[in-house]
DNA sequence: TTGAAAGCGATACCAT
DNA sequence: ATGGTATCGCTTTCAA
């Protein structure tokens, strides 16, 4: 038996050498290829062989080396998730869902938390060497950056972003529709003096929410709303609500915020600093449906994103693209779910 | 020149073969080892060689393959982060900090979000094949599971957990001290009827907070507090506060909650359902110092965990253990920072 | 079904 | 400083 000679140097420091498939093969008295086959689902192995190998593997504590497997097979079973703003209350749930779902597909998650959307380039440089099978991007990417994916044939699915005019796969929540629902309900309840606390200009989602709201307000014939730009934080919601109160003559009676956290900040500002309570004195609505939107002190009227369905879609899409390389891109848009709260005078229905 | 023959099969589907160091070597007219060296920091290469290789690499769009590198070098530059409860408001910040800090060390993060602490075994099985250089565990592990790390010589640092009586490295916040501070301040302000809304029994951190609070209350000679067990959620805080109100005869005047989110739930229950406002009618304190603890509607009195320092310590420790295998274990305990809020009658100082 | 041998794309070591 | 070669641990033909 011409067994390959292996110069296993017994470590001086007592670091145990991990058991390899060769060790298992020798122990079981079979070939190394046989061992490999036993760990490959759907390979052709006799029951006898499998039992023997598994027993040997068990005894030696063999654990297949995913790195070596990746190298030869060309599949790392790794996906990267890029998230630009992890501390945004909305993302932890998304991230947890995504990792758990990928896990069910035998795929592990490399996490990249960008400090800012500007980190994307550096992050991509960190991603490429690992030869990930695909990427979920909950971060803004430029057309050039998207081009880098195509160049490398790395499947990409945007989460709640998209490149308008570019055929990239994405899973989104219909921001325009949500914004219209909010404006309509507020209008129907009698509101005419709207104000908008928008997201940062670089947030596509925020811009969509803002723009759609403005358009709808205009369509309905209400006055042009003042528009203030925040950064999605509680503090900015609070500060901008203050700002709105400065112009005593035309204070708004309905404030549309680009996310729940700013809406919460606004509610606090109105109540604490001005004694204005929602929904009696002023109406405030948000977007997302994050956990705290349900807290009794706020009880937000908002548009909830169907996170479970969206993450499921994202994972399914990416896995399909990985398994079937030629697949055409696809955009999936989910409607937001109106979440009736008590922070606004609001009328639904026709 | 006896160049190794490589059977690069041009893909039928048009998937580009990634450029390898051999391609770069050929293009630059140098050896493959030379290319490798040029990408290894601190290797001995002449400027001329480096320029030539880098130019060739640039032209071909070469990107080193981290997988191949890991296989031969025995270092994956991967660490796993296990988090049991990502949707706990406290963890996203921790996770973001950790990944960013590791990133600065050239280390990437494999994320494992456990559905429950019971998932740990399965998660470990998923981790081992990737030959991670180390693990940060913000999840409960049994002594047997910790033993698996030792068996494999995989460095492990617990974050906010530890195995009492076991010499595992960890970074923690001093829960006992924090609990004492809270009890003392409440006591000094005149409170005598305490109640505790504790965490789930499997949470070591929660148990420590609870136990230390009880002990201190006893030391000070106040009545034994009722103890209710929650699950760290807003809803459980809310529900347990309700529970406390049922026993009209001896309603507490100070409620110590095992985390901020439950404290927030309790505050809402007291206010909304019973018209009790903090701090006038009742005092409520929490633990953690999460973002919402600062929200004006709650303005919690709590013990903030020094997340930046703790994550920095965790990363530093793990990196040291990775780079210097024999290193002894170390436990680092940070004091929580008292965060004065308006949710409790409280007196600090001597 | 099984085994032998050829890589995957790097690093490490040893000459030169 | 540079090149040659063995090797990491596995999957994948290809024969038997």
């Amino acid at each position: 038996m011409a067994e390959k000679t292996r110069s296993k140097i017994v470590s001086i420091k007592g670091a145990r050498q991990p058991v390899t498939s060769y060790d298992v093969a020798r122990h079981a008295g079979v070939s190394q290829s046989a061992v490999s086959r036993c760990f490959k689902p759907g390979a052709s192995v006799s029951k006898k062989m499998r039992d023997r190998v598994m027993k040997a593997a068990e005894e030696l504590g063999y654990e297949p080396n995913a790195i070596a497997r990746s190298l030869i097979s060309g599949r790392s079973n790794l996906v990267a998730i890029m998230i630009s703003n992890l501390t945004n209350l909305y993302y932890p749930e998304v991230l947890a869902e995504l990792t758990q779902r990928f896990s069910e597909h035998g795929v592990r998650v490399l996490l990249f938390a960008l400090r800012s959307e500007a980190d994307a380039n550096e992050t991509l440089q960190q991603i490429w060497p690992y030869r990930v099978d695909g990427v979920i991007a909950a971060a803004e990417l430029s057309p050039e950056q998207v081009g880098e994916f195509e160049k490398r044939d790395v499947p990409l699915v945007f989460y709640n972003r998209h490149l308008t005019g570019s055929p990239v796969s994405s899973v989104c929540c219909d921001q325009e529709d949500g914004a219209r629902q909010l404006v309509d309900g507020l209008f129907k309840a009698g509101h005419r003096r709207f104000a908008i606390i928008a997201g940062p200009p670089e947030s596509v989602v925020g811009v969509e929410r803002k723009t759609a709201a403005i358009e709808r307000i205009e369509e309905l014939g209400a006055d042009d709303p003042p528009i203030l730009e925040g950064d999605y934080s509680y503090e900015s919601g609070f500060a901008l609500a203050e700002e709105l109160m400065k112009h005593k003559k035309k204070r708004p009676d309905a404030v549309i915020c680009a996310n729940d956290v700013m809406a919460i900040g606004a509610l606090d500002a109105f109540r604490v600093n001005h004694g204005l309570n929602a929904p009696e004195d002023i109406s405030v609505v948000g977007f997302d449906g994050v956990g705290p939107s349900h807290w009794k002190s706020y009880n937000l009227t908002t548009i909830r994103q169907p996170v479970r369905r969206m993450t499921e879609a994202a994972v399914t899409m990416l896995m399909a693209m990985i398994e079937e390389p030629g697949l055409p891109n696809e955009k999936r848009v989910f409607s937001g779910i109106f979440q009736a709260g008590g922070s606004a005078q609001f009328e639904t229905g026709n």
Side-chain angles (χ1 to χ4, degrees), chain A residues 82 112 114 118-129 145:
Chain A
M82 302 172 66
F112 295 87
L114 316 206
D119 267 0
N121 262 325
E122 198 184 330
T123 301
L124 289 178
Q125 300 312 321
Q126 299 173 351
I127 290 178
W128 304 135
Q145 289 166 335

Side-chain angles (χ1 to χ4, degrees), chain A residues 264-302:
Chain A
I264 285 172
L267 280 172
D268 274 352
F270 292 143
R271 187 178 58 70
V272 174
N273 288 4
H274 301 275
L276 298 177
N277 286 299
E280 310 90 86
D281 309 315
I282 194 163
S283 285
V284 175
V285 298
F287 271 96
D288 286 347
V290 296
S293 74
H294 297 98
W295 293 357
K296 292 277 198 292
S297 290
Y298 304 113
N299 189 20
L300 264 186
T301 297
T302 186

Side-chain angles (χ1 to χ4, degrees), chain A residues 182-183 186 191-198 213 217 225-228 236-238 240-245 250-259 262-267 270 276 278 281-287 300-302 343-346:
Chain A
L182 289 177
V183 173
L186 291 167
H191 291 294
R192 293 298 179 270
R193 298 199 312 283
F194 292 92
I196 295 179
I197 293 182
I217 289 168
I227 297 154
L228 305 181
S236 76
F238 193 97
L240 295 177
E242 276 299 295
E243 199 62 35
L244 285 174
M245 288 295 103
K250 35 181 186 170
R251 284 183 175 173
D253 57 9
V255 180
I256 298 168
C257 304
N259 76 344
M262 289 197 296
I264 285 172
L267 280 172
F270 292 143
L276 298 177
D281 309 315
I282 194 163
S283 285
V284 175
V285 298
F287 271 96
L300 264 186
T301 297
T302 186
S343 69
Q345 293 179 34
F346 203 94

Side-chain angles (χ1 to χ4, degrees), chain A residues 49 76 213 265 328 350:
Chain A
M49 168 71 86
S76 61
N350 32 350

Side-chain angles (χ1 to χ4, degrees), chain A residues 152-343:
Chain A
R152 294 170 178 78
D153 288 318
V154 174
L156 166 66
V157 172
F158 272 113
Y159 188 96
N160 249 350
R161 328 262 150 150
H162 50 237
L163 230 43
T164 28
S166 161
V168 182
S169 290
S170 60
V171 173
C172 290
C173 187
D174 190 335
Q175 315 299 344
E176 282 88 352
D177 176 66
R180 273 192 300 272
Q181 282 190 57
L182 289 177
V183 173
D184 284 354
L186 291 167
F187 187 89
K188 209 169 281 174
H191 291 294
R192 293 298 179 270
R193 298 199 312 283
F194 292 92
I196 295 179
I197 293 182
E202 65 273 18
S203 159
V204 173
V205 166
V207 170
E208 287 176 351
R209 291 171 177 174
K210 176 187 73 178
T211 311
I214 296 172
E215 278 178 10
R216 190 59 180 163
I217 289 168
E218 199 167 323
E219 273 177 38
L220 293 173
D223 288 349
D224 282 357
I227 297 154
L228 305 181
E229 263 171 22
D231 63 3
Y232 284 148
S233 70
Y234 173 90
E235 286 74 20
S236 76
F238 193 97
L240 295 177
E242 276 299 295
E243 199 62 35
L244 285 174
M245 288 295 103
K246 281 194 185 152
H247 312 288
K248 305 206 176 178
K249 304 214 172 145
K250 35 181 186 170
R251 284 183 175 173
D253 57 9
V255 180
I256 298 168
C257 304
N259 76 344
D260 288 347
V261 175
M262 289 197 296
I264 285 172
L267 280 172
D268 274 352
F270 292 143
R271 187 178 58 70
V272 174
N273 288 4
H274 301 275
L276 298 177
N277 286 299
E280 310 90 86
D281 309 315
I282 194 163
S283 285
V284 175
V285 298
F287 271 96
D288 286 347
V290 296
S293 74
H294 297 98
W295 293 357
K296 292 277 198 292
S297 290
Y298 304 113
N299 189 20
L300 264 186
T301 297
T302 186
I303 300 286
R304 178 160 49 84
Q305 299 198 36
V307 173
R308 311 283 286 263
R309 298 199 53 201
M310 289 173 66
T311 52
E312 201 240 319
V315 171
T316 305
M317 283 173 67
L318 192 62
M319 290 310 298
M321 293 167 76
I322 290 171
E323 256 133 47
E324 215 165 321
L327 234 49
N329 284 307
E330 183 186 353
K331 293 187 199 295
R332 294 181 64 175
V333 180
F334 291 88
S335 292
I337 296 152
F338 174 71
Q339 178 178 309
S343 69

